[in-house]
Amino acid sequence: MDFTPTEEQAAAAELAARIFGDLSTHERLTAAGTGSDAGLWKELCSAGLVAAVADTGLLGLVLLLEEQGRTTAQVPFAVSCVYGLLALTAHGSPEQRERLLPGIADGTVVVTGAVPGPGVRSVSGALTGVLPAVPWLRDATHVLVADDRRELWLVRVAEAAASEPVELTAPWSAGRLTLEGTPGEALGGPGAYEDLLATARTAFAGLQAGVCAGSLARAVEHTNAREQFGRPLAARQGVQLRAADAYMDTEAIRVTAYEAAWRRDEGLPYVTHALTAAWWASEAGQRVVHTGQHLHGGAGADLEHPVHRHFLWGRQLDAYLGGGGEVLQELGEAIVNGEPIVNGEAGT
């Protein structure tokens, strides 16, 4: 395996780091509240970073999402790339790709996902069910929904029976989507659901790696600047041990996400690798953001402090990925039953 970024991946990640660093500031995040930053989203699309994912693959997307996570930038970057661009590229028909991919690339079409979609039924392409918390639904034009038979359907938000805002732990512009005989457009065939779910887990693990790296960087800066009894907090062994453990957890999330993404891009079996990355992101991710907040002492309890956003994002990603115990159980079952999917094609 080789996780060395290509020239295109490295250039995209560098550009993303610059844009997120310049525009996803504490002041702008405060002004956005729990909504998205429309100006930042426009800048990312204008710079071609969404379109670039078609060429840089899932590993390229993971690198970009790390940069988003470092700054907890409030844009629908992960969902529109996973449930929109990558899903259509891998499983869409030529007509679907021609109609939707240009809009996804320039940001005028935003796709989010409800995968899995518990309780959603489909009858002849008409979907019925309630999706209580769809991330970035308030920004989305389309939602990729999985029904109770694990078939994928692309739904226009404007055609849903109801769409209303809800608040999650993290400010993800989420919403509650109600479907009542809502028309859906079929996407993909056998194996598409499993491939999409593994892709999403890998991508959101990459986002968690960035969230953890940002939290740890803030903790290191704080403990080096803050002094007690004439010595920086960072000079104390207890602080160093907590920070070292958080660093190792962050690296474990990163390397498992890289491996799963690289394997998908190479057309290798990767479902268990995606589950491994999701487990690390869920289990270790919540440890890291707790450490980041703890090492800030009293400042970490301040809801207005920037490190608190990393805490909220880390806990939200833990929940979104399914929680460590649930993911670990699914991973064990996948290992026992054998790897079922090779890049979206039904395997043995």
Side-chain angles (χ1 to χ4, degrees):
M1 63 189 69
D2 184 3
F3 305 151
T4 305
T6 64
E7 184 177 340
E8 293 78 10
Q9 289 169 340
E14 182 180 348
L15 177 59
R18 185 162 64 248
I19 293 175
F20 284 126
D22 290 344
L23 297 183
S24 185
T25 61
H26 176 60
E27 292 73 23
R28 286 180 68 117
L29 289 168
T30 300
T34 60
S36 295
D37 187 332
L40 174 56
W41 179 239
K42 182 178 180 180
E43 185 68 25
L44 291 167
C45 294
S46 298
L49 287 175
V50 175
V53 174
D55 298 319
T56 60
L58 183 55
L59 180 55
L61 176 59
V62 166
L63 294 171
L64 298 178
L65 292 178
E66 275 194 82
E67 301 304 332
Q68 179 185 2
R70 290 180 201 276
T71 60
T72 60
Q74 292 171 200
V75 287
F77 192 54
V79 291
S80 206
C81 287
V82 170
Y83 301 116
L85 191 142
L86 289 179
L88 282 162
T89 299
H91 305 291
S93 68
E95 186 277 331
Q96 287 173 324
R97 293 196 294 268
E98 182 179 359
R99 170 163 47 92
L100 294 169
L101 286 179
I104 293 173
D106 65 24
T108 56
V109 173
V110 176
V111 184
T112 187
V115 180
V120 174
R121 303 184 307 279
S122 63
V123 179
S124 301
L127 306 180
T128 300
V130 177
L131 300 163
V134 182
W136 283 285
L137 180 63
R138 284 176 258 169
D139 301 324
T141 58
H142 296 73
V143 181
L144 191 58
V145 177
D147 66 17
D148 52 5
R149 297 192 301 270
R150 294 190 169 188
E151 295 176 346
L152 298 178
W153 304 89
L154 200 59
V155 174
R156 290 180 57 85
V157 175
E159 295 177 346
S163 174
E164 50 192 317
V166 297
E167 298 299 337
L168 303 181
T169 300
W172 282 9
S173 296
R176 174 187 175 94
L177 189 69
T178 303
L179 307 173
E180 294 179 0
T182 304
E185 181 180 353
L187 182 71
Y193 171 88
E194 289 80 5
D195 178 54
L196 178 69
L197 184 57
T199 299
R201 284 168 165 160
T202 303
F204 281 95
L207 184 61
Q208 182 76 300
V211 169
C212 291
S215 175
L216 184 57
R218 291 188 183 279
V220 169
E221 181 181 11
H222 174 80
T223 55
N224 274 288
R226 182 67 180 264
E227 292 188 358
Q228 282 188 345
F229 307 110
R231 297 175 61 199
L233 289 175
R236 301 185 179 278
Q237 188 178 45
V239 172
Q240 293 172 1
L241 292 173
R242 287 294 303 275
D245 286 343
Y247 174 79
M248 294 304 297
D249 274 338
T250 302
E251 288 301 297
I253 300 169
R254 176 181 289 117
V255 73
T256 52
Y258 283 6
E259 181 178 12
W262 174 82
R263 291 181 67 89
R264 182 188 189 274
D265 291 343
E266 293 295 314
L268 300 170
Y270 76 107
V271 168
T272 55
H273 301 80
L275 281 165
T276 301
W279 181 80
W280 275 105
S282 181
E283 191 78 7
Q286 56 90 14
R287 285 199 300 263
V288 174
V289 296
H290 274 266
T291 294
Q293 196 160 16
H294 185 198
L295 291 180
H296 276 76
D302 182 0
L303 301 185
E304 304 301 320
H305 195 284
V307 77
H308 191 65
R309 292 194 186 93
H310 294 272
F311 176 79
L312 295 178
W313 276 65
R315 292 312 305 259
Q316 182 65 59
L317 283 162
D318 171 29
Y320 189 70
L321 289 165
E326 184 177 335
V327 174
L328 188 61
Q329 178 179 344
E330 188 176 346
L331 174 59
E333 292 170 353
I335 292 172
V336 170
N337 295 329
E339 184 90 281
I341 296 298
V342 181
N343 206 18
E345 298 295 331
T348 57

